[in-house]
Amino acid sequence: KNPISLERILDMVRWRENPAFVMNAKSGRVALRSKANAWMDDEGEPILRIELQRPCSRKSMREADLFETAWEEIDEDTFRAKWQAEVNEAAGQLDTETVRLATGLLLPIWSALPSDHLAVNRIVDKNGNSWLGRIVFEHSIVELFTKLGLASSEDMPVEAITNAVLAGRSVQVTRPFPMAFKRSHVNGNPRVEIVDAPASQLSWLKSLGAFTEIIQYRTRIFIPVAQAEAIIAEILKPS
């Protein structure tokens, strides 16, 4: 992958909304932070998001989640030096990345494709073969496969389900009973919530690591974020 040059990233600053130079205090890596297109949650409320452009990658996240990360604003001179150092480092490395592309006749399924990245991309391999289509990111795979009828949610890899939920998608499943996994915020903290699970199954879900909390006189059940993938795997394990 060709890293973005320092000249190009500085030129991109002019076209980004609310740009800022940031560095991760833990890794020492830098990025250009800017405002990204908002998502809509299941209730139709906008989810504000930001984008982090790195020399060889791009990542989007909820604006509220940024405060839980180690990204901090830095001055332009520090950014320039760090970015150029990363470009030089990346130029001598070979990176591999899995890219999922929805290609072919897209118009009939356009409404089923993710709404957070509408650009049409052309990908060319080393042999000159090219494909034109829409990139589908990790957190959108479960939703897309479900909409297209390619697979039911519960039959998708647990990692894909967890990534979708943590990215803000609600995932409906029917096994072992109808329910949904969704991301919720309680007292400003992110949680994975199980919605519409039968009350008779609460004890079983708690035995797997879930926990309940009474909020506004209603019992709600959550999964610790750190153990989300392992617990969801246990819940969906075929009997």
Side-chain angles (χ1 to χ4, degrees):
K1 180 184 291 186
N2 295 323
I4 297 175
S5 68
L6 177 61
E7 293 74 15
R8 183 182 171 196
I9 195 66
L10 293 177
D11 183 64
M12 291 169 64
V13 172
R14 297 186 300 158
W15 312 105
R16 296 299 178 95
E17 187 172 357
N18 298 330
F21 302 122
V22 296
M23 181 174 71
N24 190 293
K26 294 182 179 179
S27 67
R29 301 297 187 178
V30 293
L32 175 65
R33 189 190 73 207
S34 59
K35 186 176 181 180
N37 293 331
W39 279 343
M40 303 297 288
D41 65 15
D42 295 335
E43 285 74 42
E45 294 294 325
I47 301 175
L48 300 181
R49 300 191 308 143
I50 59 97
E51 179 181 285
L52 295 171
Q53 179 64 63
R54 302 257 300 110
C56 294
S57 64
R58 181 174 57 187
K59 178 182 180 181
S60 297
M61 67 171 65
R62 293 184 181 213
E63 190 174 281
D65 294 343
L66 181 65
F67 302 103
E68 301 171 15
T69 69
W71 290 103
E72 301 173 349
E73 291 194 27
I74 57 175
D75 60 81
E76 183 175 338
D77 288 342
T78 302
F79 175 83
R80 284 171 174 264
K82 290 282 188 178
W83 187 278
Q84 187 60 57
E86 288 193 45
V87 168
N88 295 341
E89 178 186 347
Q93 295 179 342
L94 176 64
D95 291 334
T96 60
E97 180 182 2
T98 299
V99 178
R100 297 172 177 85
L101 192 73
T103 187
L105 192 60
L106 295 181
L107 190 58
I109 63 167
W110 191 268
S111 60
L113 294 171
S115 60
D116 56 325
H117 187 73
L118 300 177
V120 175
N121 300 86
R122 181 182 297 277
I123 295 179
V124 181
D125 67 16
K126 63 180 180 180
N127 297 318
N129 300 311
S130 67
W131 295 267
L132 189 68
R134 290 265 305 275
I135 291 178
V136 180
F137 293 104
E138 188 81 21
H139 56 257
S140 300
I141 294 173
V142 173
E143 183 179 18
L144 178 61
F145 274 52
T146 303
K147 284 183 177 179
L148 297 180
L150 300 176
S152 57
S153 297
E154 56 267 30
D155 293 326
M156 294 292 293
V158 174
E159 181 182 4
I161 295 173
T162 306
N163 288 336
V165 173
L166 294 178
R169 303 291 201 252
S170 177
V171 177
Q172 303 278 341
V173 298
T174 59
R175 188 183 72 229
F177 40 77
M179 60 181 159
F181 301 108
K182 61 176 288 188
R183 180 167 179 170
S184 302
H185 275 77
V186 179
N187 296 326
N189 296 315
R191 295 183 182 177
V192 174
E193 183 171 5
I194 302 176
V195 182
D196 296 330
S200 60
Q201 298 295 332
L202 292 186
S203 296
W204 177 69
L205 291 170
K206 290 170 71 173
S207 73
L208 299 180
F211 63 95
T212 57
E213 198 167 306
I214 298 176
I215 302 175
Q216 295 183 341
Y217 308 103
R218 185 165 63 93
T219 300
R220 296 169 64 179
I221 186 161
F222 302 97
I223 298 173
V225 172
Q227 288 82 46
E229 184 173 339
I231 295 176
I232 292 176
E234 285 297 318
I235 293 173
L236 299 180
K237 183 183 296 182
S239 56

